[in-house]
Amino acid sequence: MLDLARLRALHAVSVHGTVGAAATALGYTPSAVSQQIAKLERETRTTLLERRGRGVALTEEALRLVETAGQLMALVERAETELEERRGVPAGRLTIAAFASAARGLMPQVLAGLARRHPALDARMTEVDPHLSVDLVAKGAVDMAVAHDWDIAPLPAPPGVEQAVIGDDLCDLVVPAGHRLAGRSSVRRAELRDERWITQPPGLVCHEWLVRTLREAGCEPDIAHMAEENPTLVALVAAGLGIALIPRLGRGPLPPDAVTVSLDPLPVRRLYALWRTGASRRPAITATVQALQTHWPV
């Protein structure tokens, strides 16, 4: 009989792309994941992973096994949901993928509150880009995602995934204290034509929103510096190297050399909790969504 834990390990490698990333998602070491898959290969007398440069690729047999593993995991999830629903209390493990500023500015309070109120619930968080986290929910790699979209770039929920609004995160223009726009009550987007920008790298949601929005206002952004973390963006602005558009959630207090200016119209991104439809009746899902909404900084 095939071992479910070993199938889960193979499924995680398929979803996350590498043994190391799968191990992080599962809470194991890479060697433990490799051992699980090696045992599965012996049990099935089949080669499941092939070396490709520094990484691995799933064989055709492994891909078929992953499809079956996904079906089995869905059945297990349904059984666990029914048991938890009958008990009527949040319990068991709940894995959550959250993007960086939510992981910093929202999730610590949420996770701590869940631990106090529901000791039988083992909620665990991994920081993941919002574009990736929704797919992880759909594939069963995580139980829930905290993701966001922008006012001009909605976040679609794939079939089989439900969502609830957590709250709206406002964004400010952050400029050096001596900048020509510092002290202004508000700035129109067309006034930013000749500015040097500091933003996240291409492919990340904030970068794509900035480029798209300024182009619609007739501006081609001059992006001078790129960094993934908001504290790094703030530090670069404070050094006088450009301006940045930074959401308020998780931003923290600004240093004296950086100030905020309102952009007119004010950019907004909306945060969502997403989970699979089959888990909707889990008390753990309901309790976590309520905690996210309760702890949202109004």
Side-chain angles (χ1 to χ4, degrees):
M1 182 178 294
L2 297 177
D3 185 276
L4 183 61
R6 293 165 194 166
L7 289 172
R8 191 184 297 273
L10 181 65
H11 184 271
V13 173
S14 173
V15 170
H16 296 282
T18 67
V19 170
T24 299
L26 294 172
Y28 299 150
T29 63
S31 61
V33 172
S34 295
Q35 290 172 13
Q36 291 276 40
I37 294 176
K39 290 177 181 177
L40 187 59
E41 287 182 322
R42 290 196 295 271
E43 289 175 350
T44 59
R45 301 189 187 94
T46 304
T47 299
L48 300 175
L49 297 182
E50 294 178 339
R51 289 286 176 187
R52 295 279 178 86
R54 295 184 178 180
V56 295
L58 275 69
T59 64
E60 184 66 30
E61 291 80 4
L63 292 174
R64 293 181 181 179
L65 200 53
V66 163
E67 184 178 352
T68 302
Q71 296 170 355
L72 290 174
M73 290 165 59
L75 289 172
V76 171
E77 180 180 65
R78 188 170 68 186
E80 291 174 342
T81 296
E82 291 175 354
L83 285 173
E84 187 179 331
E85 186 180 23
R86 291 187 65 179
R87 295 190 188 103
V89 295
R93 179 175 293 191
L94 185 78
T95 54
I96 307 170
F99 64 96
S101 52
R104 180 172 56 251
L106 177 62
M107 293 308 298
Q109 305 93 308
V110 170
L111 294 169
L114 288 171
R116 288 192 302 268
R117 292 175 59 86
H118 308 292
L121 177 62
D122 181 14
R124 303 190 178 199
M125 185 201 73
T126 302
E127 186 178 306
V128 178
D129 183 79
H131 273 166
L132 302 176
S133 61
V134 177
D135 190 49
L136 296 181
V137 172
K139 292 180 177 179
V142 296
D143 297 311
M144 177 178 285
V146 177
H148 70 78
D149 65 10
W150 289 89
D151 44 6
I152 63 171
L155 178 71
V161 174
E162 297 187 21
Q163 63 183 31
V165 174
I166 299 172
D168 289 340
D169 187 19
L170 304 181
C171 303
D172 296 307
L173 195 65
V174 182
V175 304
H179 192 274
R180 66 180 181 88
L181 298 175
R184 290 272 300 271
S185 59
S186 65
V187 175
R188 301 287 297 180
R189 294 173 185 179
E191 298 180 69
L192 304 174
R193 186 180 306 276
D194 299 322
E195 295 296 332
R196 285 166 62 87
W197 286 91
I198 303 166
T199 186
Q200 293 182 326
L204 297 183
V205 179
C206 292
H207 178 101
E208 303 305 326
W209 184 91
L210 175 68
V211 171
R212 180 175 170 182
T213 300
L214 291 183
R215 284 176 179 169
E216 289 182 351
C219 309
E220 183 63 31
D222 177 13
I223 298 176
H225 307 286
M226 292 184 286
E228 291 192 6
E229 294 294 329
N230 285 341
T232 306
L233 301 180
V234 170
L236 291 168
V237 171
L241 298 173
I243 66 175
L245 188 66
I246 303 179
R248 296 177 184 178
L249 178 65
R251 186 176 66 203
L254 295 177
D257 293 331
V259 297
T260 60
V261 181
S262 293
L263 193 58
D264 182 19
L266 196 64
V268 177
R269 62 177 183 176
R270 176 161 289 181
L271 269 68
Y272 299 88
L274 301 102
W275 64 92
R276 288 179 297 283
T277 302
S280 293
R281 301 193 318 274
R282 264 191 87 180
I285 295 291
T286 302
T288 303
V289 171
Q290 290 175 346
L292 287 164
Q293 295 171 337
T294 298
H295 288 280
W296 179 250
V298 178

